[in-house]
Amino acid sequence: MLFNSFPFFLIFLPSTLLGYFILARFSLRLSNLFLLFASVLFYGYWDAAYLPLLLGSIAANFVIGLHLSREKQAGRDSPAKLALCLGLLFNLGLLGFYKYIDFILGSLAWLTGTDHAPLEIRLPIGISFFTFTQIAYLVDCHAARVREYKAENYGLFVSYFPHLIAGPILHHKEMMPQFDRPDAHAFMPGRVAVGMMFFTIGLFKKVVLADGVARFVAPVFDLGHAQLTMQEAWSGALAYTFQLYFDFSAYSDMAYGLSYMFGIVLPINFNSPYKARSIIEFWRRWHITLSDFLRDYLYIPLGGSRRGSGRRYFNLLLTMLLGGLWHGANWTFVAWGGLHGGYLIINHAARHLLGERRSRVANLLGWPCTFLAVVVGWVFFRASSVEVAIEIIRAMFWGTAGADVGSGLLGSNRLMALDECALWLLALGSIAFFAPNAYDMIGRARLPEQELRYGRGTGGVIVGACLVLTLLLLAISETRGVSEFLYFNF
Amino acid sequence: MRFLPGIGLGAVLTMALLEAMLRLMPVNSGVSMEDSSPAKPFAHYLAAQSYMVSDGWALENARRGTINDQGFANSRDYRGTGGTLVIGDSYIQSFMLDYGDTVQGRLDTMLGGNVHAAAASGNGLADSLRIAQFYLPRLRPRTVVFFVEPFDLSGLLDAPVRGHNGFSVSEGTPAVVHNAYRESPLKRLIQKSALLRYAYYNLKIADWLSRAASSGPAARDSMGAASVVAKEQVLRYYFSQIQAVASTEPSRVLFLMDGDRRAIHASKPPRPAPAWNDEERRLFLRLASMHGFEVIDMQPVFVRHWVRYKERMDFLPADGHWNRVAHKLAAEEVFKRLQAGEAARQASP
């Protein structure tokens, strides 16, 4: 079920809200169980075939985590370590089988010059997200950082529907305590108003901005990549740059708003990343929970920056390569991760040389250089192969179109309406670079003052306006053909 | 004010704001159709009405125009005889193009005028036959161009939708049946509000609702054995009827066949599903030739143009209709064929 569809908004959401708040009057535990059931239904509606996989993964990790914590509390380190290793093996095994097996076998076949018939295993939706969430949980059990072991809360923490499909990657310490807070289960009209504002802003970003600019992407990346003018190549690359930005930003806002209606605050996952003045800052703003995960559960365990500059740069590169691979089983993602690893090394090295002081030149050049580097990276991220990505990048800097291309009746608009695309890019760029984001406009974390203020007539007016806008945006989305969020593929 | 009444107020205010905004934007005005009748049994609009058309949610390709005196878009008023008549569907109606960029508009310039078009969205071969039977005796054109696209053949045996014609075959005898059109009062109501027009004409919400209500996409005709026989019977009937009506004037008949543009534009696998059913296409070409009709196949023309200029010939993926490039190429092909015919006629003793 997609957030940007009528069945979700008109049936699933109201009935889940209703059940959650009504049951909370009798028992918080019952209310949580209901939300867990609704979340499982949400996943099952999408892909019932993989429901046993999700439930099995949750059950196995919960049991391993419980056992691991008990061993740890009893001071038995070796069995605890063994349980952790088994847990990691189980999770990475599942992910490896469903996501990477064809990639690995295909790459081996290419290296050895043999044939490989793809197994064509369908990727279970959300597997990367729920696997990483649970790996973090097991590692924290081993580090004795887990304090709560209620089975239904654990199930809800993993499967909670606003984050299940495309993140944010949740951390148990941020989520589990919220499930047992009585005030989170109390219906508050102001809370619905705040949630609806986030949801509507996100839906607008998805339906109008991301899906609107999407039509300028495929003609370049899928159709004409072999012969492109510079203008076409840049238009396609920038169109994708903004499509991905608004698509992910939209999902993050909508997930945040939906969760807010249930009284549960999700971590902020997306914070105007194209305003970043360095790649280091970019990664503190883009997919923040993945960056945190990679830092806490990969980069730091690898040694982080504790073993000298050389090792630090190696760790950075390895972390970003694996981060790239997390997005998909394709060499394009490895290339993208490697590119960002390289960017981070350059950025850290420059900081090391220049110190933390920010010169005027660095301030001035930081933003365009960062943005340019990110755009080039996204070409690898979107292209169907590394060869296609290189063709497009070559076209961006030198142009690859033949002599007659562009001299037909449509001129420079021969592949797509470039003049129209330019207007879209200008508008989207202005929003991404200069406009405040949803959190700047509405607020971050729990907002008791706004909840109180919007609990009366003003909040009603806001909800009424949001309902009409949401229905219109959903009508646009549905009649045009509902498009998935791009991050659903990862 | 309390929360619940606030919701109502917020909804009303927002709808009013949207209505005001959309009134300033090029929302599709909707074009009123005239009720069909036994005397004029084919889809056509109310004559001489002005319209605004735009495509989709983003109001793309916005254009103003006026319906001609016969109820057709992108055609001059019908004056004089002995000219060229282009008959077709939405491809020829071309709401998304200016008149000068359409096949008929370009032919009008190339031939020095006296070119008319009779086309409406959703027309099939049965409609083109009815239009020919209606206008050929009245206009007595020297040339009639019939536009043919894949759906004309794949949907050849489909029951006609409102305002249109279809073929029925009873005991091996084909006939044309008409499904009468009456303009709904609801449409007049919709035309009063920009928000409703946006939902109805731009978003096509009624079509979406009927699609959602049906069990799934309509099964494509698989060209089974019974279907092949019935389609051949219908096509033989169609061509013989065209032959009959064209020979009385007499008019030269050209069939203008669309190419598979989606396949041409796809530079590498996966190839899209072919637009034409090969068997149907071959059948059409064979029977057309058997009845002595000329066919202009746009496929090789489109391929040559794509190879040289890498220039799209439609509005895909948003809209599969011909853009001005395809119209220009088609007009040039028709013109070449007319010139060649004229030269041959003059050369003959």
Side-chain angles (χ1 to χ4, degrees):
Chain A
M1 208 180 309
L2 287 159
F3 293 169
N4 50 332
S5 68
F6 277 128
F8 174 81
F9 187 73
L10 295 180
I11 299 166
F12 179 83
L13 182 62
S15 48
T16 306
L17 279 169
L18 205 66
Y20 177 75
F21 288 117
I22 288 175
L23 289 173
R25 293 180 172 210
F26 305 102
S27 151
L28 295 191
R29 194 162 195 185
L30 204 58
S31 172
N32 283 339
L33 274 169
F34 175 77
L35 195 51
L36 169 63
F37 171 75
S39 297
V40 170
L41 197 73
F42 175 83
Y43 190 86
Y45 179 88
W46 195 291
D47 199 345
Y50 286 122
L51 205 51
L53 175 76
L54 173 70
L55 296 176
S57 167
I58 291 173
N61 277 290
F62 179 70
V63 170
I64 294 170
L66 201 61
H67 172 72
L68 203 161
S69 294
R70 281 183 187 149
E71 295 292 338
K72 196 78 187 171
Q73 279 161 14
R76 292 191 288 269
D77 268 356
S78 297
K81 200 164 227 169
L82 183 67
L84 175 66
C85 291
L86 282 175
L88 292 178
L89 207 64
F90 170 72
N91 283 300
L92 294 175
L94 275 188
L95 196 60
F97 177 74
Y98 282 106
K99 193 165 179 173
Y100 299 107
I101 192 79
D102 264 335
F103 173 67
I104 294 166
L105 294 177
S107 300
L108 283 175
W110 180 77
L111 275 175
T112 54
T114 53
D115 282 336
H116 163 65
L119 303 175
E120 290 182 353
I121 296 168
R122 206 156 46 89
L123 183 71
I125 193 154
I127 190 170
S128 309
F129 289 93
F130 66 71
T131 303
F132 268 35
T133 299
Q134 297 188 102
I135 286 176
Y137 177 78
L138 292 183
V139 173
D140 284 351
C141 282
H142 185 257
R145 287 196 286 257
V146 175
R147 297 273 172 270
E148 208 214 289
Y149 302 99
K150 276 186 197 154
E152 72 273 17
N153 282 11
Y154 179 77
L156 184 55
F157 152 64
V158 179
S159 67
Y160 184 40
F161 79 88
H163 93 109
L164 178 61
I165 309 293
I169 297 169
L170 298 181
H171 201 275
H172 61 92
K173 74 166 187 265
E174 292 169 325
M175 299 304 295
M176 307 277 254
Q178 294 197 69
F179 296 143
D180 283 338
R181 280 180 46 173
D183 71 316
H185 293 254
F187 175 74
M188 294 176 68
R191 198 172 276 167
V192 175
V194 171
M196 272 303 293
M197 281 195 279
F198 277 110
F199 184 80
T200 311
I201 290 172
L203 188 62
F204 176 80
K205 286 180 186 172
K206 169 66 181 164
V207 174
V208 175
L209 305 184
D211 291 351
V213 77
R215 75 194 123 131
F216 303 111
V217 177
V220 170
F221 280 87
D222 301 332
L223 187 64
H225 53 79
Q227 286 203 50
L228 292 170
T229 63
M230 281 173 70
Q231 195 189 356
E232 287 164 351
W234 274 104
S235 298
L238 287 169
Y240 183 66
T241 299
F242 289 116
Q243 183 198 0
L244 186 63
Y245 175 96
F246 284 105
D247 196 275
F248 195 26
S249 174
Y251 182 86
S252 303
D253 290 350
M254 289 164 85
Y256 191 90
L258 286 168
S259 189
Y260 201 95
M261 291 184 213
F262 288 88
I264 295 161
V265 179
L266 292 181
I268 291 174
N269 205 22
F270 196 88
N271 187 21
S272 303
Y274 292 167
K275 290 177 183 169
R277 286 160 182 263
S278 70
I279 286 290
I280 296 171
E281 190 189 349
F282 173 80
W283 280 105
R284 287 178 187 150
R285 289 170 173 264
W286 180 279
H287 208 169
I288 298 165
T289 57
L290 176 68
S291 302
D292 290 351
F293 178 93
L294 292 174
R295 183 198 60 209
D296 296 342
Y297 298 99
L298 191 58
Y299 175 70
I300 291 174
L302 281 170
S305 55
R306 296 191 299 274
R307 296 182 197 166
S309 298
R311 183 59 194 260
R312 176 196 203 180
Y313 297 150
F314 172 78
N315 290 341
L316 265 178
L317 188 63
L318 187 63
T319 302
M320 292 312 291
L321 281 170
L322 291 172
L325 200 57
W326 174 86
H327 286 84
N330 194 322
W331 287 107
T332 52
F333 292 113
V334 178
W336 173 77
L339 206 56
H340 271 272
Y343 293 161
L344 281 170
I345 291 170
I346 294 168
N347 201 168
H348 278 285
R351 274 200 181 178
H352 183 70
L353 287 174
L354 299 171
E356 286 297 322
R357 66 193 151 81
R358 306 276 303 179
S359 69
R360 185 172 289 184
V361 178
N363 271 336
L364 213 64
L365 291 179
W367 173 78
C369 289
T370 304
F371 185 67
L372 179 69
V374 168
V375 173
V376 171
W378 289 142
V379 173
F380 284 93
F381 201 79
R382 171 60 175 80
S384 54
S385 68
V386 173
E387 292 75 26
V388 169
I390 291 169
E391 278 176 0
I392 293 169
I393 289 172
R394 212 154 56 84
M396 283 162 73
F397 293 98
W398 297 282
T400 53
D404 282 336
V405 169
S407 60
L409 191 64
L410 299 178
S412 62
N413 292 332
R414 53 124 201 160
L415 207 56
M416 56 191 190
L418 282 185
D419 38 7
E420 210 180 300
C421 179
L423 289 177
W424 272 89
L425 296 178
L426 196 68
L428 298 187
S430 305
I431 297 170
F433 302 143
F434 306 114
N437 61 38
Y439 312 102
D440 297 335
M441 289 190 283
I442 303 168
R444 288 156 201 262
R446 204 166 288 282
L447 303 165
E449 271 179 40
Q450 282 93 324
E451 286 175 19
L452 206 64
R453 195 185 324 142
Y454 298 142
R456 293 184 288 269
T458 320
V461 172
I462 288 171
V463 170
C466 287
L467 279 175
V468 170
L469 292 175
T470 297
L471 289 175
L472 181 66
L473 291 167
L474 290 177
I476 292 173
S477 174
E478 291 272 15
T479 53
R480 195 177 48 193
V482 179
S483 73
E484 288 182 4
F485 290 93
L486 296 176
Y487 260 72
F488 283 14
N489 300 316
F490 312 137
Chain B
M1 191 173 48
R2 301 181 63 153
F3 190 79
L4 282 178
I7 293 179
L9 180 66
V12 170
L13 285 175
T14 310
M15 281 194 282
L17 191 69
L18 285 170
E19 174 70 27
M21 273 172 55
L22 289 171
R23 275 181 186 271
L24 300 173
M25 297 163 95
V27 173
N28 206 319
S29 62
V31 192
S32 294
M33 291 187 75
E34 193 172 325
D35 293 350
S36 62
S37 65
K40 212 174 172 185
F42 47 84
H44 57 285
Y45 300 105
L46 283 174
Q49 61 175 312
S50 296
Y51 62 84
M52 158 68 77
V53 287
S54 58
D55 191 31
W57 70 278
L59 312 173
E60 285 177 273
N61 247 330
R63 271 177 172 75
R64 287 183 187 284
T66 306
I67 299 296
N68 79 350
D69 62 347
Q70 297 298 312
F72 298 114
N74 269 329
S75 173
R76 293 191 187 286
D77 287 344
Y78 285 19
R79 299 279 182 274
T81 55
T84 301
L85 178 65
V86 183
I87 299 176
D89 57 11
S90 50
Y91 280 72
I92 299 300
Q93 179 177 259
S94 306
F95 271 136
M96 63 297 293
L97 292 175
D98 293 328
Y99 173 69
D101 287 328
T102 60
V103 174
Q104 58 271 27
R106 286 192 181 275
L107 282 174
D108 198 50
T109 308
M110 290 167 172
L111 298 170
N114 208 5
V115 176
H116 302 103
S121 181
N123 278 355
L125 294 188
D127 293 298
S128 69
L129 174 59
R130 280 289 181 251
I131 291 171
Q133 287 169 335
F134 185 86
Y135 280 112
L136 262 57
R138 289 168 173 80
L139 279 177
R140 307 211 318 269
R142 277 176 67 182
T143 310
V144 191
V145 180
F146 288 93
F147 174 77
V148 185
E149 49 120 343
F151 192 72
D152 289 331
L153 301 187
S154 65
L156 193 64
L157 304 177
D158 291 355
V161 295
R162 284 193 320 132
H164 289 276
N165 297 282
F167 292 106
S168 72
V169 184
S170 173
E171 293 174 0
T173 310
V176 175
V177 286
H178 179 64
N179 185 350
Y181 180 83
R182 298 282 171 272
E183 185 95 330
S184 152
L186 194 65
K187 268 197 173 176
R188 285 185 207 120
L189 194 71
I190 287 168
Q191 285 175 344
K192 292 185 192 309
S193 155
L195 185 55
L196 289 178
R197 278 189 281 116
Y198 180 72
Y200 188 83
Y201 293 109
N202 285 89
L203 301 186
K204 295 184 168 56
I205 202 140
D207 294 351
W208 175 77
L209 282 171
S210 65
R211 275 200 310 276
S214 67
S215 53
R220 294 283 292 178
D221 180 39
S222 60
M223 200 64 182
S227 165
V228 175
V229 172
K231 282 190 175 178
E232 180 159 354
Q233 285 171 341
V234 164
L235 282 176
R236 281 180 187 279
Y237 170 77
Y238 172 75
F239 284 123
S240 64
Q241 293 292 306
I242 295 285
Q243 210 167 33
V245 71
S247 61
T248 53
E249 300 317 323
S251 301
R252 182 179 176 192
V253 173
L254 293 174
F255 283 96
L256 180 61
M257 274 188 110
D258 191 10
D260 191 347
R261 286 158 285 111
R262 205 183 279 267
I264 295 169
H265 293 168
S267 58
K268 60 173 189 148
R271 293 273 175 207
W276 287 96
N277 176 316
D278 249 2
E279 208 176 336
E280 290 173 351
R281 191 180 157 87
R282 279 201 306 273
L283 178 67
F284 185 90
L285 289 169
R286 180 166 62 80
L287 293 178
S289 155
M290 195 185 286
H291 285 80
F293 294 127
E294 298 170 65
V295 179
I296 299 172
D297 185 357
M298 290 308 294
Q299 179 74 12
V301 181
F302 287 162
V303 169
R304 277 198 302 274
H305 189 82
W306 176 255
V307 167
R308 179 164 182 195
Y309 294 105
K310 292 277 187 284
E311 183 172 65
R312 68 209 158 96
M313 285 159 280
D314 49 39
F315 301 96
L316 282 171
D319 176 358
H321 288 108
W322 282 2
N323 66 7
R324 59 197 179 105
V325 177
H327 274 267
K328 177 174 180 277
L329 293 172
E332 285 169 354
E333 288 304 306
V334 173
F335 183 68
K336 263 191 256 172
R337 198 64 73 94
L338 293 181
Q339 294 291 86
E342 191 61 26
R345 195 178 62 82
Q346 283 174 3
S348 65

